Amino acid sequence: MVSGHSGATLEDILPIVAESLRRAPDRDLTNIILVICAGENNIGNGILMSVIEESFQKLLKIVFGESVDYHDSDFARTPKLIFLGPKIEPWLQHDAESRKQYIQLSRCFERICYQHDSSKERILYLDCLTMFCGDTAILPGALLGGKALAETPYFDADQLHLSEKGYKIWKERVEDSILKLTSC
């Protein structure tokens, strides 16, 4: 199932993810890999970081169950998750506050993913912050100093959504992540 919802927040996608998992044949979720990108719209809508974190925790509970014990036999029947973090976008170049929130959001998602699955056998977090920033991504102080600049060829004219070139990079990274998860 492929589902994209323009403008959706994390809270908006929770019932969509739950319904997708409910539709799995025989509730066998072992061959399901969810690829989810969410959170940027939460910041754009002024949602507090604590609320975003709570929504992300809810998402993981939906995907992996209320209390996942990774030594439990049911663990083998859970899906896998690739979560794409926020990305520095061209419009952020002049919005230092939103840029800081994107960085904070990325670190928050990464920490929570690691807490839920430190072995990285079920959850892979893709840090996308500087994925579309080219050479500026490796400059000293790239993120916190605001030197990482999104390159416009990776984005549509709206400076928000990815262009075909940007989606190609994202697709390659997701495919690499799928290979990592399926080889575990």
Side-chain angles (χ1 to χ4, degrees), residues 85-88 102-103 106-107 127-133 143:
K87 61 199 173 306
I88 300 293
Y102 271 46
I103 295 166
S106 181
R107 298 303 169 247
D127 183 346
C128 301
L129 277 172
T130 59
M131 189 179 293
F132 306 102
C133 293
L143 273 178

Side-chain angles (χ1 to χ4, degrees), residues 49-62:
M49 197 62 62
S50 60
V51 175
I52 299 171
E53 183 173 345
E54 185 179 307
S55 295
F56 190 60
Q57 295 282 9
K58 287 179 188 176
L59 173 70
L60 294 180
K61 285 179 182 178
I62 288 169

Side-chain angles (χ1 to χ4, degrees), residues 147-168:
K147 295 177 183 175
L149 303 174
E151 293 187 356
T152 55
Y154 297 115
F155 293 87
D156 277 340
D158 66 5
Q159 298 187 32
L160 178 66
H161 295 96
L162 292 174
S163 65
E164 188 174 324
K165 186 175 181 177
Y167 278 116
K168 182 179 178 192

